[in-house]
Amino acid sequence: MLDAALRLAERGGFDAVQMRDVATEANVALGTVYRYFTSKERLLLEAMVEEIEALAARLEARPPVGETPAARVVEVLSRGTASLQRHPEVTGAMVRAFGAADEADVVRRVGDIMTGIITGVMHDGPPTGRDLAVARTLQQVWLSSLIGWVGGVDEPARVVVDLETATDLLLGDGEEPAR
Amino acid sequence: MLDAALRLAERGGFDAVQMRDVATEANVALGTVYRYFTSKERLLLEAMVEEIEALAARLEARPPVGETPAARVVEVLSRGTASLQRHPEVTGAMVRAFGAADEADVVRRVGDIMTGIITGVMHDGPPTGRDLAVARTLQQVWLSSLIGWVGGVDEPARVVVDLETATDLLLGDGEEPAR
DNA sequence: GCCGGAATCGGAACATGTTTCACTTTGGCG
DNA sequence: CGCCAAAGTGAAACATGTTCCGATTCCGGC
């Protein structure tokens, strides 16, 4: 069913993921879909968990090569964003579900994975408290940017720009302008 | 109609704002509601613009008194958040509309007002490029936090904590811990 | 192989956002 | 005053998420 949902999202985004169609596409009855996913948002969010876990795995498989933590963070966020933007409709559907959802647990899971992607490349060893704070902030910026992009407020490229800006500010790579 | 929507949102949040009820409550026909607001999200977003403009005005009327920009920013964000959290259902409805909306122009307006609240207290004179970057980042954190709170992922207090953290990191108030 | 319960099916029914349309009311203007 | 375009009305119809339920199928344990 998750695959079916993704297929439908691929062309048409959120609106094209209609529960009846998901059922049909998955060769299953509508009631069965609702047995496993209590709402459309949940369905899309669980798909999002899978997608973003896969993304995290891919990123981990080929770690960023930057010298500084800031460089590595930007690299991983750029690659992640690029990957998401490669399927705009799908990402759009998922992000939209995320923004509206009343499904705390899955939403939290998605956020945690995103945060993990960031902390994972900061440096060896377990992240410090500050690392976690920075990562959480970056994750929030990431999400807001995606929402802005998905909602048509910002250009696709703006997401990466925002992330670079935020990373620079948070992990200041040296030349801090006058305060 | 905006008032009617707010009244309905007050108890029951997003789901309680039903277009038929809005029409009834506003003593108007359903078609008339749709003449002025092309969707439920739009209705709520326009209400959000008004609310947040009022909030901005209140904040401007009694400016924060902190010594440093960081202190003032935290103060204004705390007060703003407190104000929003005073009517959780209403804010919930509006934030949810925000997260899902496909209404770029209004969404942008809301974001701009929020950013303006922040830049307004940084220091005298027009904001520098860096100020704008910081403010945008903070606004994104603000929104993500609100979404987290509204979605039941985080405690209400978490919003302010996140904002304090982010402000500290962005406008570092001195004692930067070891990197 | 048979049984009982769980899973699935089919499909109707319901709730609510959105659209449509023919009709009426309203307010300004020549 | 009389008229017209714009605004509003009332009600039905449609689209889609969600719920329900009786009938059917599937499966693991006896």
Side-chain angles (χ1 to χ4, degrees):
Chain A
M1 303 187 207
L2 291 174
D3 282 0
L6 288 180
R7 273 197 299 279
L8 290 173
E10 189 92 41
R11 56 217 219 102
F14 188 85
D15 292 333
V17 182
Q18 305 198 355
M19 298 307 265
R20 288 171 179 81
D21 294 349
V22 171
T24 306
E25 182 85 11
N27 294 311
V28 113
L30 184 55
T32 307
V33 178
Y34 275 97
R35 163 184 282 278
Y36 291 98
F37 307 97
T38 53
S39 72
K40 174 174 174 176
E41 271 84 28
R42 184 148 206 118
L43 170 62
L44 283 169
L45 282 171
E46 305 231 355
M48 189 171 188
V49 167
E50 292 215 335
E51 286 287 291
I52 227 163
E53 269 173 352
L55 172 58
R58 284 202 303 280
L59 291 173
E60 211 163 332
R62 288 205 289 114
V65 299
E67 289 289 317
T68 66
R72 289 194 297 276
V73 167
V74 167
E75 189 178 338
V76 88
L77 289 175
S78 299
R79 276 165 53 189
T81 301
S83 180
L84 292 176
Q85 293 186 332
R86 211 161 291 133
H87 300 282
E89 299 294 325
V90 177
T91 305
M94 300 192 307
V95 169
R96 195 163 149 192
F98 187 101
D102 204 19
E103 307 275 354
D105 54 340
V106 209
V107 169
R108 188 185 338 252
R109 221 165 345 131
V110 171
D112 286 349
I113 299 171
M114 292 175 84
T115 306
I117 289 178
I118 301 172
T119 55
V121 300
M122 289 180 121
H123 57 242
D124 301 329
T128 67
R130 176 180 230 265
D131 289 343
L132 289 175
V134 169
R136 178 170 169 100
T137 302
L138 281 173
Q139 179 255 329
Q140 291 174 322
V141 171
W142 199 4
L143 263 172
S144 284
S145 286
L146 287 175
I147 290 175
W149 160 56
V150 160
V153 176
D154 298 319
E155 305 271 306
R158 186 66 191 261
V159 178
V160 169
V161 170
D162 279 350
L163 287 169
E164 283 169 348
T165 304
T167 307
D168 275 12
L169 290 170
L170 290 167
L171 297 175
D173 48 352
E175 33 59 271
E176 306 226 350
R179 294 223 175 117
Chain B
M1 301 187 208
L2 291 174
D3 282 0
L6 288 179
R7 274 198 298 280
L8 291 172
E10 189 92 41
R11 56 220 216 98
F14 188 85
D15 292 333
V17 182
Q18 304 199 354
M19 298 306 265
R20 286 172 181 82
D21 294 349
V22 171
T24 306
E25 182 86 9
N27 295 310
V28 114
L30 183 54
T32 307
V33 178
Y34 275 98
R35 165 185 283 278
Y36 291 97
F37 306 97
T38 53
S39 72
K40 174 174 174 175
E41 271 85 28
R42 182 143 207 124
L43 170 63
L44 283 169
L45 282 171
E46 305 231 355
M48 188 170 188
V49 168
E50 292 216 336
E51 286 287 292
I52 226 162
E53 269 174 350
L55 172 59
R58 284 202 302 281
L59 291 173
E60 211 163 332
R62 288 205 290 113
V65 299
E67 290 289 318
T68 65
R72 290 194 296 277
V73 166
V74 166
E75 190 178 336
V76 89
L77 289 175
S78 299
R79 277 165 54 191
T81 302
S83 181
L84 293 176
Q85 294 186 332
R86 211 161 290 134
H87 301 283
E89 299 293 324
V90 176
T91 304
M94 299 191 307
V95 169
R96 195 164 148 191
F98 187 101
D102 203 20
E103 307 275 354
D105 55 339
V106 210
V107 169
R108 186 182 345 246
R109 216 157 359 124
V110 171
D112 286 348
I113 299 170
M114 293 175 84
T115 306
I117 289 178
I118 300 171
T119 54
V121 301
M122 289 178 121
H123 56 242
D124 300 329
T128 67
R130 177 180 229 265
D131 290 343
L132 289 175
V134 169
R136 179 170 169 102
T137 302
L138 282 173
Q139 179 254 331
Q140 291 175 321
V141 172
W142 199 4
L143 262 171
S144 284
S145 286
L146 287 175
I147 290 175
W149 161 55
V150 160
V153 176
D154 298 319
E155 305 272 305
R158 186 65 191 260
V159 178
V160 169
V161 171
D162 279 350
L163 287 168
E164 284 170 349
T165 305
T167 307
D168 276 12
L169 291 170
L170 291 167
L171 298 174
D173 48 352
E175 33 59 271
E176 305 227 348
R179 296 225 173 111

